[in-house]
Amino acid sequence: GAVGDGVSNDRNAIQSAINSLQESGLAGTITFPRGRYLTTGYLHITGSFITLQGANGSYITTPTSGDFRKINISGASGISIYNLNIDAGRVTSGRSPVYTGTVNIYSSNYISIKNCNLAHSEGLLVHIRGATNKVWLENNTFEDFHIGVFGDSNDISGAAFNNVSITNNVFRESW
């Protein structure tokens, strides 16, 4: 399983847990005890009714030279992310912003991100695209980013997103 020591690459262990839930077709929660879960690529979620639940002091992070995309939700339904610190690892580099998200939501329904801290992105912290319906972003903190939340209906599907609620969030230190 995932170690959460900030040194070991936990991406494969976390993705394996996500894949097990997706393959079973059952709802489930992946719990992140206090720790730093280093991932060198993004976590891909395509299933239904999966919750990523952090404890106080749980981080999903990346090495500063790695891929800052952390979570890709595509064609999914009923996905919840609670109480996690998602650190994309940006360092001041003078680079132009990159227009993909730390959390990408594409053509998915009933997505909830609550009580999280999303930080240090080279571009977008949350990117909502395609035929996505019913997204709730509540009680989160967005820090050190180019664009906090971005919705894009001009993707290849031509479908627009709708019913996005952004409530009681804090946005600070954008550049």
Side-chain angles (χ1 to χ4, degrees), residues 23-84:
E23 291 165 9
S24 76
L26 301 174
T29 299
I30 299 169
T31 303
F32 294 83
R34 183 181 183 94
R36 289 190 168 275
Y37 298 87
L38 182 70
T39 61
T40 56
Y42 64 86
L43 303 170
H44 192 64
I45 302 173
T46 59
S48 297
F49 306 108
I50 296 171
T51 298
L52 304 181
Q53 174 76 49
N56 188 20
S58 300
Y59 289 81
I60 293 178
T61 189
T62 189
T64 56
S65 61
D67 187 345
F68 66 91
R69 297 173 298 162
K70 294 292 96 198
I71 300 172
N72 186 51
I73 301 167
S74 180
S77 182
I79 305 303
S80 300
I81 302 172
Y82 298 138
N83 303 319
L84 274 171

Side-chain angles (χ1 to χ4, degrees), residues 13 55 68 90 99 116 145:
F68 66 91
R90 181 182 87 83
Y99 290 96
C116 292
F145 56 90

